[in-house]
């Protein structure tokens, strides 16, 4: 690459809005990545304005390429304001110095996202056409391509469109399924563009699978609490929301890992591109963990597993009758982590939520459960909150992470784990 070209690219990076440079986390895998967002002519084009904004806020350098038809639905000024970068529309009107030629955009990109991708765009790409800047960019890129179709149900299910999608998939392009729901026209069916958050999740997964430091590694993460049923309508449980475990799962996915998330009952939406196993009780979680760790490289046991369960499960709702008291007899649940103490074929990380004597309890659990690392946090200040302060303990010492949003803490935790066991967790290519 010549220096003129580098200067040109860095001056374009410099054009990122100041608010982005201030708030993007260096730990975010999107930070500094060059993403081409190809927008085609669908009414759903307005929805990807939010995607452009979110990718930019995460620190990505987003070059929006619009087809002629796309500009009939949304103006270039919208995307330009949201990305802080010029919007590209014309194959023949690229920057005057000629350095960004018609193929350079695709060559320079880390990821190309086509959203919304119309039936016409899918057909043109499947045919290998390069008749505008969007198709030329796709043809010229060596970056992964994520394609997000959105269209009328009949156009989507038409054999021509389906064959084009199969062709793109066979060539390695990741094509998402549109959602089923209310379309722009008065009709319910398949063809809706997935939400910006869903597209972003898939973009992170695609990028991670290509360049992430954990690509090829299998990671099992447990999240949330467990519910131990008393009768068909009541349970013994705890306040865990599952937020930290879900954040860890997303951070591992972003780094290219193949994640199995074993989640207790929670109202959180499942993270995209992650294999989620839903469980209710500690016994179910134990069985799910046993099955998932068969081929794991790393287990992070974040779940707040109930230590006890009701000794008897009533199959009918317990009636209060005239009693002033109800005695509930509880029996001990198995300790899932301690049960894996003899397994040394994967890295084991536990969590310790304590209200007092944090370090002493954490160190005792580290030893008793045969863990490689334990992550201690103050229970009351963490459970149900959006941010968390943690201390990482292992055989070599400890590392405190300041209070921060759980998503950011999750990224720091994964980087810290990776740093300690580089050989066991290094990316596997291929
Ligand atoms: N854990 C587990 N199985 C259990 C209880 C806990 O695998 N039955 C795991 C948790 O997922 C966590 C670690 O063990 O990673 C510590 O859990 P915690 O609830 O902090 O401690 P306990 O072992 O339950 O001990 P105590 O209740 O005395 O604090």
């Amino acid at each position: 690459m010549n220096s003129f070209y580098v200067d040109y690219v860095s001056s374009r990076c410099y054009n990122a809005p100041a608010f982005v440079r201030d708030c993007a986390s260096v730990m975010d895998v999107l930070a500094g990545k060059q993403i081409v967002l190809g927008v085609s002519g669908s009414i759903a084009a307005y929805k990807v304005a939010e995607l452009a904004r979110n990718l930019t806020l995460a620190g990505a350098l987003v070059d929006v390429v619009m087809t002629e038809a796309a500009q009939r639905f949304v103006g270039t000024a919208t995307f330009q304001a949201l990305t802080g970068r010029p919007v590209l529309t014309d194959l023949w009107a690229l920057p005057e110095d000629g350095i960004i030629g018609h193929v350079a955009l695709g060559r320079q990109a880390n990821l190309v996202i086509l959203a919304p991708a119309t039936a016409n765009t899918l057909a043109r790409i499947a045919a290998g056409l390069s008749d505008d800047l969007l198709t030329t960019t796709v043809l010229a890129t060596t970056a992964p391509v994520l394609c997000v179709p959105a269209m009328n149900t009949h156009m989507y299910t038409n054999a021509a469109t389906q064959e084009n999608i199969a062709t793109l998939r066979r060539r390695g392009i990741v094509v998402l399924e549109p959602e089923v729901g209310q379309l722009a026209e008065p009709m319910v069916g398949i063809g809706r563009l997935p939400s910006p958050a869903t597209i972003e999740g898939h973009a992170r997964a695609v990028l991670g699978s290509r360049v992430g430091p954990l690509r090829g590694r299998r990671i099992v993460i447990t999240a949330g609490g467990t519910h131990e049923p008393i009768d068909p309508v009541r349970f013994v449980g705890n306040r865990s929301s599952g937020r930290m475990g879900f954040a860890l799962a997303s951070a591992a996915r972003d780094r290219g890992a193949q994640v199995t998330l074993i989640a207790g009952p929670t109202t959180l939406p499942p993270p995209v591109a992650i294999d989620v196993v839903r469980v209710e009780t500690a016994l179910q979680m134990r069985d799910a963990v046993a099955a998932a760790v068969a081929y794991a490289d790393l287990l992070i046991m974040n779940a707040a597993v109930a230590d006890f369960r009701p000794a008897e499960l009533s199959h009918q709702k317990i009636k209060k009758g005239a009693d002033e008291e109800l005695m509930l007899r509880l029996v001990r649940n198995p300790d899932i982590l301690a049960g894996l103490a003899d397994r040394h074929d994967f890295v084991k990380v536990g969590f310790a939520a304590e209200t007092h004597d944090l370090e002493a309890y954490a160190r005792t659990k580290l030893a008793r459960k045969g863990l490689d690392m334990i992550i201690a946090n103050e229970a009351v200040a963490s459970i149900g909150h959006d941010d968390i302060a943690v201390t990482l303990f292992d055989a070599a010492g400890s590392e405190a992470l300041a209070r921060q949003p759980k998503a950011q803490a999750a990224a720091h935790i994964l980087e810290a784990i990776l740093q300690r066991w580089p050989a066991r967790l290094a990316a596997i290519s291929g």
Side-chain angles (χ1 to χ4, degrees):
M1 193 187 304
N2 66 37
S3 63
F4 197 38
Y5 186 76
V6 172
D7 286 350
Y8 181 78
V9 168
S10 54
S11 73
R12 283 161 62 81
C13 299
Y14 182 76
N15 284 341
F19 66 88
V20 172
R21 294 200 300 272
D22 292 345
C23 71
S25 159
V26 285
M27 280 283 167
D28 196 311
V29 293
L30 291 177
K33 295 290 187 309
Q34 287 199 241
I35 297 180
V36 171
L37 176 57
V39 184
S40 326
S42 153
I43 180 64
Y46 80 91
K47 292 188 188 170
V48 298
E50 192 180 334
L51 175 67
R53 176 177 182 270
N54 293 347
L55 295 172
T56 305
L57 283 174
L61 305 158
V62 182
D63 284 311
V64 175
V65 176
M66 300 180 80
T67 63
E68 215 175 301
Q71 294 166 67
R72 291 176 179 259
F73 291 95
V74 185
T76 54
T78 301
F79 286 108
Q80 192 151 323
L82 293 172
T83 62
R85 295 162 76 80
V87 170
L88 306 163
T89 55
D90 189 346
L91 189 56
W92 305 105
L94 289 165
E96 55 296 333
D97 54 21
I99 299 300
I100 287 281
H102 62 291
V103 295
L105 199 60
R107 204 179 56 207
Q108 185 68 20
N110 299 108
L111 174 68
V112 176
I113 304 174
L114 304 173
T118 57
N120 185 42
T121 293
L122 294 174
R124 288 188 299 136
I125 294 171
L129 297 185
S130 57
D131 54 353
D132 66 2
L133 186 58
L134 190 144
T135 49
T136 304
T137 301
V138 174
L139 205 58
T141 195
T142 54
V145 179
L146 171 65
C147 180
V148 196
M151 66 196 73
N152 162 278
T153 301
H154 300 304
M155 289 173 86
Y156 180 72
T157 54
N158 186 289
T161 304
Q162 289 303 309
E163 277 173 32
N164 288 332
I165 288 174
T167 301
L168 299 189
R169 286 193 173 133
R170 212 173 45 245
R171 292 179 189 155
I173 292 183
V174 178
V175 185
L176 299 189
E177 277 279 296
E179 291 183 350
V180 175
Q182 179 68 55
L183 302 176
E185 60 207 298
M187 166 181 187
V188 173
I190 190 165
R192 269 171 68 92
L193 190 81
S195 71
T198 299
I199 301 172
E200 182 182 335
H202 283 283
R204 288 168 174 278
V206 169
L207 207 49
S209 69
R210 190 61 86 92
V211 296
L214 286 168
R215 64 189 189 280
R217 293 295 179 182
R218 292 169 199 259
I219 300 187
V220 179
I221 296 170
T222 65
T226 61
H227 286 181
E228 309 298 329
I230 299 169
D231 68 13
V233 294
R234 304 182 180 96
F235 59 83
V236 176
N238 59 61
R239 295 180 195 279
S240 174
S241 66
R243 260 178 232 158
M244 189 65 219
F246 276 41
L248 284 163
S250 299
R253 172 205 62 199
D254 291 0
R255 284 160 180 74
Q258 197 178 314
V259 183
T260 301
L261 173 63
I262 301 171
T266 164
T267 53
L268 293 180
V272 299
I274 285 176
D275 182 14
V276 183
V277 180
R278 299 278 185 186
V279 297
E280 189 187 353
T281 65
L283 292 176
Q284 290 169 358
M285 185 170 279
R286 178 199 57 187
D287 294 345
V289 169
V293 295
Y295 304 100
D297 298 297
L298 167 66
L299 166 66
I300 305 180
M301 205 52 212
N302 173 249
V305 186
D307 291 320
F308 294 92
R309 67 179 182 277
E312 285 99 31
L313 167 63
S314 169
H315 293 289
Q316 292 187 329
K317 185 181 171 197
I318 299 172
K319 304 302 286 181
K320 64 180 164 301
D323 296 339
E324 288 300 320
E325 284 185 8
L326 173 73
M327 296 298 289
L328 197 60
R329 197 168 65 86
L330 301 175
V331 292
R332 200 60 179 255
N333 267 329
D335 187 316
I336 301 171
L337 265 181
L340 298 169
D342 292 339
R343 295 284 297 271
H344 302 291
D345 48 325
F346 52 89
V347 177
K348 282 177 286 181
V349 176
F351 269 74
E354 310 290 349
T355 56
H356 57 289
D357 297 331
L358 209 94
E359 174 159 6
Y361 282 126
R363 287 227 171 265
T364 307
K365 289 175 188 176
L366 179 73
R368 181 162 54 83
K369 303 189 187 217
L371 304 177
D372 295 294
M373 176 189 278
I374 194 148
I375 300 166
N377 59 277
E378 210 287 313
V380 180
S382 311
I383 293 180
H385 291 267
D386 286 330
D387 42 22
I388 192 168
V390 295
T391 306
L392 283 44
F393 294 97
D394 62 16
S398 66
E399 180 183 351
L401 302 181
R403 194 167 188 83
Q404 57 193 303
K406 286 181 175 172
Q408 219 165 294
H412 274 107
I413 288 169
L414 276 169
E415 297 289 340
I417 293 172
L418 195 52
Q419 222 173 51
R420 282 167 181 75
W421 294 280
R424 295 174 71 181
L425 296 172
I428 303 170
S429 42

